[in-house]
Amino acid sequence: MSNFLLEINKSKSLSDYRVDINFNEKFRNDKCHFENEQFIVILDGVILNKKEFLESSSKTWVETLVTLYLKKGDSFYKDFRGSFCGAFLDKKRDKWIVFQDHIGSKNMYFSEMMNGGLVFASSMPKLYELRKRRGIKEQLDVSAAYMLLTYGYMLEDYTLSVGVRKMSPGSYIKLEGNTTTHHKYYEINNIPNNNLTEDEIIDRMDSLFKIAIKRQFDKDIEYGYKHFVALSGGLDSRMTSWVANKMGYTNQLNFTFSQSRYLDETIPKQIGSDLKHEWIFKALDNGLFLKNIENTTKITGGNVLYHGLAHGLSLYNQLNFECLGISHSGQLGDVVFGSFDKGIVLQTNFKNGDGAYSKKLINKVDFNQVIKSSYKNYELFCLYQRGLNGANDGLMGVQQYTETMSPFYDIDVLNFAMTIPVKHRSKQKIYKKWILKKYPEAANYIWEKTGEKINSPSIFIKNKEVTLYKLLRKILLKTRIKKLGYGSKNNMNPLEYWIKTNDDLREHLDNYFSSNISLVENIQLKEDCINHYKNGNGIEKMQVISLLSALKLFFN
């Protein structure tokens, strides 16, 4: 994994620093570690519009970065498009700036040290390792532990450790003199713009989406890489792959991981074949990847459910990434061109438990104490927490090997999409209309979420529009002819089915639980973990195992 760790001794000059950089060779010319008499520049990630900056400056990349700082100041990177994080030292002003991208696709953590220093790291385990070498024993944040047992990820800037915090998306931290300040240079705005017609919205969506696709896929070509593109039964990755193909980016290796013979296998298999792409499939049958507990937690630091990365790692660990480019996904497409909000107007209220995987212990999360930001509505709260805090952590698996990007993460796409009135975005209405108008062939395949095509015919029952498939499915479920959800194998990740039917897996998880439950020192937390694991569903078992593995690796 490409990462860096920066340790600054604030008690002396801010130029008294130590940096540990482990940049991988992927997109190496986008990354930067430079020092001269005036500046230090550290940049990790991939800058999709780098070429645009170079063409306008006629300078080297390092010179361009310095020039941008001198012209635009502390947030000189705000016009970058891509996935990145970094740090910048202005020696003359004795000032450090540590930053991350607009949507936090590359995590940055920070920690006060006993000598008055401050450490920043893009890898949580690397930070734990340094703190241990400095003689610091990690203290579990019990409130954060309950976040893992409910939401399945950390809220706001929390981590499992009392002594470590995470930078928020679109932010930077400035150290100047004896002062450390936190700043926001970007925030998502979903104030609706009611000035456009539906056709104008669709045309603008399409134009911005194609610009985002071009930036991503041109970056692969710049480095001579093959396009590595996720493909599932959903709409999001489908549209990334489909639009790219239509724009001429046909040299794609599509990849899929799922329970075999489920829609998340059968749909992308057909799409990949029809588009004449190479396609690779990793079966998740029997849940064997769930045994890979600690190797996964060594990547996440325990801040998110391990199974959400372990399934992807079971594929990535088998691949040779030498010739593969960006991992192109459809991350968050359903809530960018759709919405977390299901109504026709934005809900202004949100509450503890919104976006949580389990609510059994939700009263143990001190919500009013934890949520420090001012979210204008339910959609923004869910987007920042479940979307950027939760889903982004799932990127860490493939980031061990390459860079990641989704066209729905492109800030120009995101800025426009979030201002589309929610009456258009709700239930993916405008999303489906965009596909049907611009890419009708992409609608010829079933949508995994609904089990039918997006243009399936419907009928009205009691003044409510219902598709024939939904009506049939409801009948089958009521008569118990068909089962859905985690308890059946009709799911991408049927956790309960795997645990129930695979004796070896169940015994492995039970043994891990029994061997490590004693690591929970807080009496009430331990009691809740025992009940959560023994009486909980598949996800709740994963929540407990995720916590125990973090305690064993980092807090023991």
Side-chain angles (χ1 to χ4, degrees):
M1 179 182 181
S2 192
N3 60 72
F4 73 92
L5 183 148
L6 174 66
E7 187 174 10
I8 302 169
N9 191 342
K10 294 196 301 179
S11 62
K12 300 180 182 179
S13 165
L14 293 181
S15 296
D16 183 9
Y17 79 99
R18 185 183 74 85
V19 64
D20 180 11
I21 292 179
N22 295 289
F23 289 160
N24 64 32
E25 291 305 307
K26 284 291 180 183
F27 304 98
R28 189 62 183 85
N29 293 333
D30 282 34
K31 308 176 198 297
C32 179
H33 179 210
F34 166 81
E35 180 173 5
N36 64 13
E37 294 180 354
Q38 293 178 288
F39 306 105
I40 294 173
V41 186
I42 301 169
L43 179 63
D44 189 17
V46 60
I47 311 302
L48 301 177
N49 57 344
K50 172 189 169 187
K51 185 179 291 188
E52 297 167 33
F53 285 106
L54 292 178
E55 288 174 350
S56 63
S57 71
S58 301
K59 298 178 181 178
T60 67
W61 184 221
V62 170
E63 291 170 339
T64 299
L65 294 173
V66 170
T67 300
L68 285 171
Y69 166 74
L70 294 174
K71 284 184 177 180
K72 299 188 175 184
D74 297 346
S75 57
F76 64 91
Y77 38 80
K78 66 182 178 181
D79 292 325
F80 288 177
R81 296 294 179 263
S83 175
F84 60 88
C85 60
F88 191 99
L89 172 63
D90 183 334
K91 294 181 179 180
K92 184 176 180 180
R93 296 187 60 179
D94 203 25
K95 177 179 70 174
W96 273 104
I97 304 159
V98 182
F99 57 89
Q100 66 173 173
D101 65 46
H102 306 70
I103 48 84
S105 67
K106 281 188 174 294
N107 288 331
M108 283 296 297
Y109 308 94
F110 60 96
S111 169
E112 294 277 355
M113 304 300 279
M114 292 187 296
N115 63 357
L118 188 61
V119 178
F120 297 90
S122 58
S123 165
M124 184 80 172
K126 291 284 187 184
L127 183 51
Y128 277 143
E129 185 181 307
L130 175 69
R131 284 167 56 85
K132 185 176 182 179
R133 290 202 305 268
R134 297 289 187 268
I136 299 174
K137 180 176 173 56
E138 300 299 343
Q139 178 185 345
L140 177 68
D141 189 322
V142 175
S143 181
Y146 278 113
M147 292 177 203
L148 195 59
L149 296 176
T150 52
Y151 287 89
Y153 50 87
M154 299 293 105
L155 297 175
E156 297 287 22
D157 63 347
Y158 279 75
T159 75
L160 284 179
S161 173
V162 170
V164 180
R165 284 293 177 259
K166 184 172 78 169
M167 287 178 59
S168 59
S171 73
Y172 67 93
I173 294 177
K174 178 166 68 175
L175 290 77
E176 189 167 18
N178 296 319
T179 304
T180 302
T181 53
H182 297 245
H183 304 266
K184 273 276 196 181
Y185 71 89
Y186 173 79
E187 288 186 272
I188 298 171
N189 162 41
N190 66 347
I191 298 174
N193 176 3
N194 295 296
N195 296 323
L196 300 178
T197 67
E198 194 172 82
D199 284 339
E200 289 172 332
I201 291 172
I202 290 173
D203 288 345
R204 183 62 175 157
M205 281 171 56
D206 190 56
S207 174
L208 291 172
F209 194 81
K210 288 192 289 189
I211 291 171
I213 288 287
K214 179 174 172 55
R215 282 174 175 159
Q216 287 183 219
F217 285 76
D218 277 354
K219 181 60 68 170
D220 289 339
I221 294 173
E222 178 185 336
Y223 283 84
Y225 292 140
K226 188 180 188 72
H227 306 305
F228 186 57
V229 190
L231 194 55
S232 70
L235 297 181
D236 307 334
S237 59
R238 177 190 309 184
M239 295 315 298
T240 298
S241 183
W242 192 282
V243 176
N245 181 85
K246 190 166 184 179
M247 292 176 65
Y249 303 103
T250 57
N251 185 27
Q252 296 186 31
L253 172 62
N254 293 134
F255 65 94
T256 304
F257 39 85
S258 167
Q259 172 76 10
S260 63
R261 294 182 294 279
Y262 179 59
L263 293 175
D264 266 315
E265 178 198 358
T266 59
I267 298 170
K269 182 178 183 178
Q270 187 61 55
I271 294 174
S273 175
D274 290 348
L275 293 179
K276 299 179 176 59
H277 294 169
E278 291 186 272
W279 178 69
I280 187 168
F281 173 70
K282 171 64 170 63
L284 302 181
D285 296 20
N286 304 305
L288 301 177
F289 71 92
L290 293 173
K291 293 183 178 180
N292 193 22
I293 300 169
E294 293 181 6
N295 286 336
T296 306
T297 303
K298 286 177 183 177
I299 296 170
T300 68
N303 293 321
V304 68
L305 299 183
Y306 87 93
H307 77 275
L309 279 79
H311 62 357
L313 284 168
S314 70
L315 169 62
Y316 308 140
N317 291 340
Q318 309 303 319
L319 299 180
N320 180 355
F321 276 82
E322 185 175 344
C323 66
L324 301 178
I326 291 171
S327 177
H328 302 275
S329 74
Q331 188 91 326
L332 290 190
D334 59 337
V335 295
V336 173
F337 278 5
S339 176
F340 277 112
D341 205 314
K342 305 303 180 186
I344 59 172
V345 294
L346 292 169
Q347 300 178 51
T348 56
N349 297 323
F350 54 90
K351 62 184 183 303
N352 193 14
D354 287 340
Y357 283 100
S358 171
K359 297 185 180 181
K360 289 181 180 177
L361 298 169
I362 202 67
N363 63 329
K364 300 294 180 69
V365 178
D366 190 346
F367 192 69
N368 293 329
Q369 177 67 28
V370 169
I371 302 302
K372 301 168 185 175
S373 303
S374 299
Y375 298 101
K376 296 178 181 178
N377 47 59
Y378 169 87
E379 180 178 58
L380 287 179
F381 168 75
C382 286
L383 182 55
Y384 269 98
Q385 301 310 321
R386 182 155 184 163
L388 304 189
N389 265 350
N392 270 356
D393 277 352
L395 300 174
M396 287 187 283
V398 73
Q399 283 174 348
Q400 303 302 299
Y401 300 97
T402 189
E403 302 296 340
T404 65
M405 195 60 193
S406 164
F408 301 97
Y409 269 11
D410 183 277
I411 298 307
D412 301 315
V413 172
L414 183 62
N415 286 342
F416 176 75
M418 294 305 295
T419 60
I420 298 171
V422 73
K423 66 181 180 181
H424 293 301
R425 289 188 288 121
S426 178
K427 299 180 181 180
Q428 289 79 42
K429 292 174 187 174
I430 199 73
Y431 195 177
K432 289 183 281 188
K433 288 180 180 180
W434 168 62
I435 295 171
L436 292 169
K437 180 179 179 181
K438 299 292 186 177
Y439 311 97
E441 299 91 348
N444 291 334
Y445 306 88
I446 291 171
W447 181 14
E448 181 272 340
K449 181 177 181 179
T450 63
E452 58 191 340
K453 299 177 183 179
I454 62 173
N455 56 353
S456 295
S458 58
I459 59 175
F460 283 88
I461 299 178
K462 295 182 179 179
N463 295 322
K464 186 175 182 180
E465 189 175 14
V466 181
T467 63
L468 296 176
Y469 174 82
K470 285 183 179 178
L471 181 62
L472 177 60
R473 185 171 65 167
K474 187 173 290 188
I475 294 171
L476 293 176
L477 288 173
K478 282 190 175 182
T479 57
R480 299 185 179 274
I481 295 175
K482 186 176 181 65
K483 291 183 179 180
L484 294 173
Y486 289 101
S488 78
K489 66 178 180 179
N490 296 310
N491 191 284
M492 176 186 175
N493 289 295
L495 298 173
E496 290 181 50
Y497 174 80
W498 289 331
I499 295 170
K500 180 180 178 180
T501 58
N502 187 341
D503 295 341
D504 183 59
L505 171 63
R506 185 171 62 253
E507 182 179 347
H508 182 86
L509 295 174
D510 288 347
N511 287 340
Y512 196 89
F513 170 79
S514 300
S515 300
N516 295 291
I517 187 62
S518 61
L519 297 175
V520 184
E521 297 177 351
N522 183 285
I523 296 174
Q524 184 60 59
L525 178 61
K526 179 187 287 187
E527 182 180 321
D528 288 334
C529 284
I530 292 171
N531 183 61
H532 213 53
Y533 184 85
K534 291 189 173 180
N535 301 312
N537 58 31
I539 282 187
E540 288 161 346
K541 292 182 189 298
M542 296 300 103
Q543 290 175 320
V544 176
I545 295 295
S546 299
L547 176 60
L548 296 184
S549 64
L551 292 175
K552 179 181 178 182
L553 291 172
F554 307 118
F555 293 81
N556 191 12

